Amino acid sequence: MNKGKEILEELRSVISGKTLDALIPPVVFLIASSYLEVKLAAIISVGVSLAIGLIRAILKQPLGYAFGGFVGVSIAGGFAYLGGNVSNYYIPKMIGSLSFVIVALGSVLIKKPMAAWVSHLTRGWNIKWFWRADVRPAYMEVTLFWTVFAGLKLFLVTTLYLKEDIAGLFFINSILGMPANIFVLTVSYIYGIWRLHHLKGPGIDEFEIDKEPPWKGQTRGF
């Protein structure tokens, strides 16, 4: 299997079609707010989110992303509704980005990097493996990469928010949304595997069976 197919498979494990459940309501709000009053746009986007959840329930499909989309658009739409200002829709996003930066940076400072926790929770790998001196640096560096990206997004969105540049906010959030997240995940995976290889630590499978060196190292999954 070539590296391209491997990366695509890894991305599929994180990104599925169901993520659209969380992406559609915000897009509906932003489009509707261009033609309708902010309050009506907020109501419509929440209604769309509820409709998506209802469809998933009828089809007996997972509701996780639909629920996340409902919560997200309800909070953001609520800010816009109460403030009567479309730009207020982005306040929760700024709060979320700021919280992410604080938590990610804090995890690096205490040497328990966020990237390691994310991998542990999504893959179920033994958390002790991530804290090895020949494994941890890869996850520390990837977490710093995430922190810089989130910090840049926070800076740009906050600047545009203060200028009440709605078109700019929509453009930046579109570019720095799913497209940028896919880019970040791809770079994180490629760099992470490369870094683990150069750290020369054991792969997770070798760690689990307590294999003695020399190790083959982590060749798939980060």
Side-chain angles (χ1 to χ4, degrees):
M1 180 183 295
N2 60 46
K3 183 59 69 174
K5 288 183 179 179
E6 177 184 329
I7 293 172
L8 285 174
E9 287 190 5
E10 290 297 322
L11 285 174
R12 287 194 196 103
S13 69
V14 178
I15 303 170
S16 69
K18 302 298 187 301
T19 57
L20 290 175
D21 294 356
L23 296 175
I24 291 175
V27 172
V28 168
F29 172 82
L30 294 172
I31 294 175
S33 64
S34 298
Y35 302 96
L36 305 170
E37 291 185 357
V38 175
K39 294 182 178 181
L40 181 56
I43 293 172
I44 290 173
S45 61
V46 171
V48 168
S49 180
L50 287 172
I52 292 173
L54 180 61
I55 291 171
R56 293 298 182 198
I58 292 174
L59 296 176
K60 296 182 179 180
Q61 295 176 340
L63 296 172
Y65 286 108
F67 179 74
F70 171 74
V71 172
V73 79
S74 295
I75 294 174
F79 273 94
Y81 183 95
L82 294 175
N85 189 332
V86 177
S87 60
N88 286 348
Y89 180 88
Y90 294 94
I91 291 177
K93 293 181 182 292
M94 292 186 288
I95 294 174
S97 292
L98 177 60
S99 300
F100 184 93
V101 169
I102 292 173
V103 173
L105 192 57
S107 73
V108 170
L109 292 176
I110 64 174
K111 296 184 178 181
K112 302 290 184 182
M114 177 187 287
W117 286 109
V118 171
S119 184
H120 165 66
L121 292 173
T122 56
R123 298 180 183 277
W125 293 346
N126 191 328
I127 193 64
K128 293 181 181 179
W129 176 74
F130 295 97
W131 307 149
R132 288 180 58 95
D134 47 14
V135 171
R136 191 200 317 251
Y139 290 90
M140 293 276 283
E141 291 155 20
V142 165
T143 301
L144 284 173
F145 172 51
W146 292 358
T147 304
V148 170
F149 171 74
L152 174 62
K153 182 176 181 179
L154 175 63
F155 171 77
L156 291 174
V157 173
T158 301
T159 300
L160 292 170
Y161 172 80
L162 294 174
K163 293 181 178 179
E164 296 188 0
D165 185 346
I166 305 303
L169 283 168
F170 178 76
F171 176 76
I172 286 297
N173 276 275
S174 297
I175 296 299
L176 296 184
M178 185 57 70
N181 289 336
I182 291 175
F183 171 77
V184 168
L185 289 173
T186 301
V187 172
S188 298
Y189 183 80
I190 294 173
Y191 176 81
I193 288 293
W194 174 84
R195 189 70 171 100
L196 287 175
H197 174 72
H198 284 268
L199 286 168
K200 302 184 184 302
I204 182 63
D205 293 335
E206 294 171 316
F207 174 79
E208 291 287 4
I209 63 174
D210 200 22
K211 184 180 182 300
E212 295 294 328
W215 297 302
K216 184 179 181 180
Q218 188 69 8
T219 59
R220 177 71 186 270
F222 176 72

